[in-house]
Amino acid sequence: MPELPDLTALLSIVEERDPDADPLSRLTVAEGVLSDLQGIGDRLLGYLVELARAEGCSWSDIGDHLGISRQAAQQRYGRRWSSLTVADLAQSGAFDRYTARAKQTLERAEAHARRLEQPAVGADHLLLAILDDPATLAVRAIAAQGVDPSALRVELARGLTAGSETTATSTGGSGASGTSTTGPGASGTSSEATIPIGPEARRVLTATLAETAELRHNYVGTEHMLLGLLRDRSSTFLRDHGIDLEPTRAAVRAALEAFLRSRES
């Protein structure tokens, strides 16, 4: 059985993170190491919950197995389940049906959240990542409704940047509040934040699968993600610019039909 890190190994990590730390500073570094370990533990449990749910286990099933109620199971594991990153969910198989472009969109959304020093990937980060690629069916469906996707992206990016700066100013600093922040030895953390998929983005991904099923497609593309954003209503940005669910569904269907006709000709 693989051994967990012992005290000596953990002390070595503390030493490596800040070799010049004085005795009091080492306490701060050690707190950072503990925080990282707790974060990894949360992701481990969240990952296994994700696998169980992917196999069809409900929160009630999980609760029954543990001898607790469904609500207690959600309370115990819900936060840990919500600590998973894009990479964690990809490893669990959650994105197996996603197209290459859709997977790249998720990665860009995480990169946007990190760049903006946000604690989690949000619905608007997903939207910004969709708008990054003008060649997708999602962006074509937006353009088909008389809205300029490029202008939309510029406005959304500006709003997200302004919101990030306001948050940083109000908190007296910056840095994503994931498992880790930045800088070796800074509060004893590692060099890059672990940014989970936030509750809003989670709901959007769930709605994305619902839209995929409704269209009877065996893959998940950016067009389904766009429909998921509109279905969940976490982000008001699209609706504020006249883009609603039903017209977008129609535009997606038309774009898909045009794409299939172009392949046949």
Side-chain angles (χ1 to χ4, degrees):
M1 178 182 297
E3 294 293 330
L4 294 173
D6 59 15
L7 179 60
T8 301
L10 293 174
L11 288 171
S12 297
I13 294 173
V14 171
E15 177 66 21
E16 288 173 8
R17 288 196 175 184
D18 194 346
D20 300 321
D22 59 40
L24 294 178
S25 297
R26 278 199 294 269
L27 291 174
T28 304
V29 177
E31 288 283 358
V33 172
L34 177 60
S35 175
D36 286 351
L37 290 171
Q38 289 171 335
I40 292 170
D42 283 345
R43 288 169 63 196
L44 170 64
L45 288 170
Y47 180 81
L48 294 175
V49 168
E50 178 69 26
L51 289 182
R53 289 177 60 78
E55 291 293 327
C57 298
S58 66
W59 284 112
S60 294
D61 294 330
I62 294 170
D64 289 344
H65 176 73
L66 298 170
I68 57 178
S69 69
R70 175 186 60 80
Q71 185 177 9
Q74 284 181 298
Q75 289 174 344
R76 180 183 295 185
Y77 292 110
R79 176 181 60 82
R80 288 154 174 160
W81 185 55
S82 298
S83 69
L84 296 180
T85 65
V86 169
D88 292 334
L89 287 176
Q91 187 174 345
S92 76
F95 302 138
D96 284 355
R97 289 198 296 142
Y98 278 56
T99 64
R101 270 195 161 125
K103 291 176 182 176
Q104 290 164 4
T105 298
L106 291 169
E107 291 167 359
R108 286 197 304 271
E110 182 179 74
H112 285 312
R114 177 171 284 111
R115 174 178 55 82
L116 294 167
E117 299 184 320
Q118 295 301 295
V121 177
D124 282 337
H125 301 127
L126 288 173
L127 176 56
L128 185 60
I130 289 172
L131 293 171
D132 283 339
D133 188 350
T136 61
L137 286 175
V139 174
R140 291 182 210 167
I142 290 173
Q145 297 178 71
V147 178
D148 181 359
S150 297
L152 207 63
R153 189 199 177 283
V154 169
E155 183 179 341
L156 177 60
R158 186 184 297 121
L160 286 173
T161 300
S164 175
E165 291 172 349
T166 300
T167 301
T169 301
S170 65
T171 57
S174 63
S177 58
T179 301
S180 307
T181 53
T182 58
S187 300
T189 58
S190 57
S191 59
E192 191 170 81
T194 297
I195 300 181
I197 301 177
E200 282 187 358
R202 275 280 194 159
R203 291 198 303 271
V204 169
L205 295 181
T206 299
T208 294
L209 293 179
E211 286 295 322
T212 303
E214 192 160 315
L215 289 170
R216 298 183 179 179
H217 292 162
N218 60 0
Y219 71 94
V220 180
T222 58
E223 62 272 24
H224 304 109
M225 295 171 71
L226 175 63
L227 293 172
L229 278 161
L230 290 165
R231 182 186 184 114
D232 178 70
R233 303 176 73 85
S234 289
S235 172
T236 62
F237 184 82
L238 289 170
R239 294 196 304 280
D240 290 344
H241 290 78
I243 301 172
D244 291 306
L245 180 57
E246 287 303 328
T248 303
R249 277 186 186 142
V252 164
R253 288 191 180 98
L256 282 170
E257 289 169 2
F259 173 72
L260 293 173
R261 283 197 301 269
S262 69
R263 290 187 64 180
E264 292 170 356
S265 61

